Amino acid sequence: MTLRVAVIGGGIIGTAVARLLAREHDATVTLLDKEGHLAGHQTGHNSGVVHAGLYYEPGSMKATLCRRGVGLLREFVDEHDIAYDECGKVVVALDEVQAGRLDALHARAVANGVPGARLVDRDGLHDIEPGATGVRALHSPTTAIVDYPAVTRALGAQLTDAGGEVRLGHEVTGIADRGTGVCVETMAKGASDGGEYDLVIACGGLQSDRLAAMVGESRSPRIVPFYGDYFVLPREQRAAVRGMVYPVPDPRYPFLGVHVTPRVDGVLTLGPNAFLSLGRESYGRRAPVPADVLDVVGFSGFWRFAAANLPAAVRESRTALSSRQFVAEARKYVPGLDTSGAVRGTRGVRAQAMGEDGRLVDDFVITGTDRVVLVRNAPSPGATSALAIAEHVVAEAMARRSRR
């Protein structure tokens, strides 16, 4: 019997899941998204980096699915002639303390099978990235940049070609397992709609905890949104770097810090920083969203996180409040950058999952039942890993159904 499936969320992960089901399983697939176009949230508001797997705990889902995802993504963009630039990345140490941290990072890269990852000294850094300054660096030559919205649109086209349906402008307002099927209620153009499905897979990103609550799961891990601003430099500044220039992760801080990243459209970006957002989908400097603010301030885990990360808040507040401080962070690594023409680019909002204990949930998290599968946490490298996450989620969903 043909399986009736609804996939919630038209970002790159949800679209990849729906496309895989429609192409490789006996299923009628409906993709639901509240926006008027695919990739309307995190997929369309990030740096476009294709991560090689430097940072992730060996053996974790992140490490495994990132490496698998890179290969699948590269095949996909080649097939669809989507812009992809393997420009490489250097993780730059400015002093000996930072230089010491690169050994552990390199060990992870080797354990994860990152191609060509190697440590270089000051002269080696200059050979790879003449505009960068530092005492030591980790070079990842296969780290790349891509147009993720274009990837998502191509996935959506393959979904419809395989007989699937994309319903845009349909906001999910309720999910209920009735025993014989799962009822999904939606709101479209002010009118209620809905349908019954044998399987529902929710890839809701910034709304993942709220979707989980609809089916009776715990709201924890809770989504706490952090925005990240980007500055865009004039096109003539693209030549200031050959690839990406990143700082060394500091274990005292939960977020990486400002870095220099080219985009496939030929411009150079600085960012992102990370600061608490007063709205889960607030991409501009809009008024706070009361429901989103209350979700944060009423969550004990956030206050535990805040108390443990005061130095990080001070660091990030500098770049949040001062454009000059923001661009100055990037010039620490590339002193020759002319930032006089920098303008604010698109803001992104990170769907940061956080536990009741105040700790950030690091790895991918997938929960649910045999009828409702929930992608609860898919942070960076979620976009890089999207096609591999889709494989994993679909396999998990089918395995759960077979165990009924």
Side-chain angles (χ1 to χ4, degrees):
M1 186 173 67
T2 300
L3 196 66
R4 302 167 299 167
V5 185
V7 178
I8 302 169
I12 190 170
I13 294 175
T15 309
V17 167
R19 169 250 195 189
L20 184 61
L21 283 162
R23 284 165 60 96
E24 299 190 9
H25 295 270
D26 183 14
T28 59
V29 182
T30 303
L31 177 64
L32 301 167
D33 193 89
K34 67 181 180 181
E35 303 302 339
H37 58 91
L38 298 175
H41 292 286
Q42 291 182 108
T43 302
H45 294 84
N46 63 41
S47 61
V49 174
V50 181
H51 293 280
L54 299 180
Y55 304 105
Y56 319 122
E57 183 70 31
S60 66
M61 287 180 66
K62 272 189 177 183
T64 303
L65 296 182
C66 178
R67 290 303 314 148
R68 170 69 176 160
V70 171
L72 293 173
L73 179 62
R74 187 60 188 268
E75 292 173 6
F76 189 85
V77 299
D78 286 347
E79 177 186 348
H80 293 273
D81 196 26
I82 295 172
Y84 186 100
D85 182 2
E86 202 172 81
C87 58
K89 174 169 81 173
V90 286
V91 181
V92 177
L94 297 178
D95 56 40
E96 293 303 325
V97 173
Q98 294 181 5
R101 297 185 193 128
L102 286 177
D103 291 319
L105 197 60
H106 179 246
R108 281 194 171 189
V110 171
N112 291 337
V114 177
R118 64 189 180 102
L119 293 167
V120 296
D121 59 14
R122 189 191 303 268
D123 292 337
L125 170 61
H126 185 265
D127 290 341
I128 296 164
E129 198 64 76
T133 186
V135 299
R136 198 180 187 211
L138 174 61
H139 182 217
S140 171
T142 60
T143 299
I145 48 178
V146 74
D147 184 344
Y148 282 121
V151 173
T152 308
R153 291 191 295 269
L155 290 167
Q158 285 197 334
L159 165 62
T160 55
D161 287 346
E165 181 182 3
V166 178
R167 292 186 185 174
L168 299 174
H170 281 67
E171 181 174 4
V172 173
T173 57
I175 309 170
D177 189 339
R178 305 298 189 193
T180 56
V182 181
C183 180
V184 179
E185 298 174 1
T186 62
M187 183 71 69
K189 296 182 179 179
S192 296
D193 195 3
E196 187 174 86
Y197 302 91
D198 304 306
L199 173 65
V200 173
I201 300 178
C203 307
L206 286 156
Q207 307 295 339
S208 61
D209 56 337
R210 290 171 176 167
L211 290 169
M214 290 180 186
V215 294
E217 280 213 2
S218 169
R219 285 288 302 278
S220 184
R222 182 77 59 94
I223 295 299
V224 177
F226 287 84
Y227 72 76
D229 280 327
Y230 291 89
F231 277 81
V232 178
L233 299 184
R235 286 184 179 273
E236 54 268 24
Q237 284 292 300
R238 172 61 185 90
V241 293
R242 292 174 176 171
M244 294 165 252
V245 181
Y246 272 54
V248 178
D250 189 329
R252 296 174 299 172
Y253 302 125
F255 303 117
L256 186 57
V258 172
H259 37 276
V260 181
T261 308
R263 292 193 322 214
V264 291
D265 62 1
V267 302
L268 198 62
T269 65
L270 313 178
N273 56 355
F275 205 71
L276 181 67
S277 177
L278 300 181
R280 294 195 183 197
E281 299 169 6
S282 295
Y283 301 110
R285 296 174 177 272
R286 296 184 293 181
V289 179
D292 294 345
V293 173
L294 288 173
D295 257 358
V296 173
V297 300
F299 178 47
S300 60
F302 168 73
W303 296 109
R304 293 186 178 96
F305 169 83
N309 288 279
L310 288 176
V314 171
R315 183 184 80 160
E316 297 297 333
S317 66
R318 295 191 187 114
T319 58
L321 297 173
S322 169
S323 299
R324 180 175 296 180
Q325 182 66 36
F326 191 110
V327 298
E329 287 295 310
R331 293 189 66 192
K332 289 180 182 178
Y333 298 90
V334 187
L337 277 177
D338 179 1
T339 56
S340 59
V343 297
R344 286 191 179 273
T346 302
R347 170 176 287 186
V349 181
R350 180 199 317 256
Q352 181 60 64
M354 188 178 293
E356 296 282 353
D357 58 2
R359 294 182 181 179
L360 304 186
V361 180
D362 185 58
D363 210 356
F364 301 146
V365 177
I366 299 163
T367 64
T369 67
D370 59 336
R371 288 193 177 93
V372 182
V373 177
L374 304 159
V375 179
R376 295 294 303 262
N377 191 46
S380 180
T384 300
S385 311
L387 297 177
I389 293 174
E391 287 183 336
H392 181 87
V393 168
V394 171
E396 178 71 16
M398 294 305 170
R400 290 182 184 192
R401 290 188 61 78
S402 69
R403 292 195 293 265
R404 290 168 57 180

